[in-house]
Amino acid sequence: MPKLLNVTFFIFATLTLLACEMPDSEVVNEVIDPVLRPEVVESPTKQPLITDKPEQATLSESSFKTIEWTKLMPKEDLEILLNPPSYINDIEDGSFEDQISSQVANALAAASDDPYQQALSSTRIVQEMDGQAIRIPGFIVPLEFDDEQTITQFFLVPFFGACIHVPPPPPNQIIFVNYPKGLKVEALYDPFWVSGIVKTSLVENEVATAAYSMQMQSFELYSE
């Protein structure tokens, strides 16, 4: 089973400390145990935004640049999450502090001047990504589907269980994907390569908030 994507393994492992209700340690270890490592290719020329009718703006597969999730996160947010504060680092697994960590985190989250908490819910984006044709690996969180379980809208996230079993990543690490043609997923723990035109537009619903959106052109099961 794939792990977190590269550097995001370290970042989002800390998110498990912030959940009000968490699965047992064996489930958590399974969720964060395997890493999708995209093969980085040379950057193509920036492509125009795709239209609402993808068939009118279909691009060749070579037009899509393979990226890592951290490319969607501003450097200042990444630096903060890679260097968590002492109240995160000093908590030992199974300790009393660990058991009440969610209450502590909730209290700290109320402090608007806490940079770490701000980074955990950051909607700041990398403006240069707007309109780029990208290929990125991730897991699917279905949002809209029909009676035959054909998914037409979903959140793409960097690790399995996000938004369902464990807390969601920051909004700038979630992509809202629209695919009117629809796709079927045999198992939600299967990762996919997703290609499309990414836009810096905020999408919110009861599941999570995404700072990016995408009109997907193609997808395939993940492989190294």
Side-chain angles (χ1 to χ4, degrees):
M1 186 185 301
K3 296 183 182 177
L4 300 174
L5 311 182
N6 296 330
V7 178
T8 54
F9 170 78
F10 177 85
I11 296 173
F12 298 119
T14 63
L15 292 176
T16 58
L17 294 175
L18 306 181
C20 293
E21 296 183 9
M22 293 296 296
D24 59 40
S25 60
E26 291 184 0
V27 174
V28 172
N29 289 336
E30 181 181 0
V31 168
I32 65 174
D33 192 43
V35 154
L36 305 183
R37 301 184 180 277
E39 178 184 357
V40 178
V41 298
E42 293 184 2
S43 174
T45 303
K46 184 175 181 179
Q47 302 292 339
L49 291 178
I50 202 164
T51 64
D52 290 336
K53 297 181 179 180
E55 66 274 14
Q56 296 181 0
T58 301
L59 302 175
S60 65
E61 290 300 320
S62 61
S63 299
F64 294 95
K65 175 187 177 182
T66 300
I67 70 166
E68 298 180 2
W69 281 91
T70 51
K71 295 295 183 182
L72 301 176
M73 181 180 288
K75 292 182 179 179
E76 55 268 29
D77 285 354
L78 180 60
E79 183 66 22
I80 291 170
L81 293 177
L82 286 174
N83 297 278
S86 58
Y87 65 78
I88 296 295
N89 286 333
D90 293 346
I91 295 177
E92 296 182 4
D93 291 340
S95 66
F96 175 74
E97 290 82 0
D98 186 28
Q99 297 174 25
I100 65 170
S101 61
S102 61
Q103 291 93 326
V104 173
N106 289 337
L108 289 168
S112 59
D113 59 345
D114 185 341
Y116 185 74
Q117 297 300 326
Q118 292 174 357
L120 286 175
S121 59
S122 177
T123 59
R124 292 186 289 262
I125 47 85
V126 178
Q127 190 60 49
E128 292 76 14
M129 294 303 300
D130 191 43
Q132 291 285 343
I134 68 168
R135 177 177 180 261
I136 189 169
F139 296 87
I140 290 175
V141 180
L143 298 176
E144 286 196 6
F145 48 88
D146 60 21
D147 294 338
E148 297 181 350
Q149 305 301 308
T150 300
I151 302 169
T152 55
Q153 291 185 350
F154 60 91
F155 281 143
L156 189 71
V157 294
F159 57 93
F160 172 67
C163 309
I164 301 176
H165 304 300
V166 297
N172 58 23
Q173 293 290 277
I174 302 178
I175 303 174
F176 170 75
V177 181
N178 186 50
Y179 191 58
K181 293 181 179 179
L183 73 153
K184 290 188 176 182
V185 178
E186 293 185 1
L188 292 180
Y189 52 76
D190 288 336
F192 286 84
W193 285 108
V194 173
S195 299
I197 305 297
V198 69
K199 297 189 290 185
T200 54
S201 58
L202 195 68
V203 177
E204 299 180 271
N205 69 9
E206 64 277 6
V207 176
T209 298
Y212 294 92
S213 64
M214 175 190 287
Q215 187 77 37
M216 187 173 78
Q217 176 172 302
S218 64
F219 66 96
E220 61 182 315
L221 276 173
Y222 174 83
S223 61
E224 290 286 351

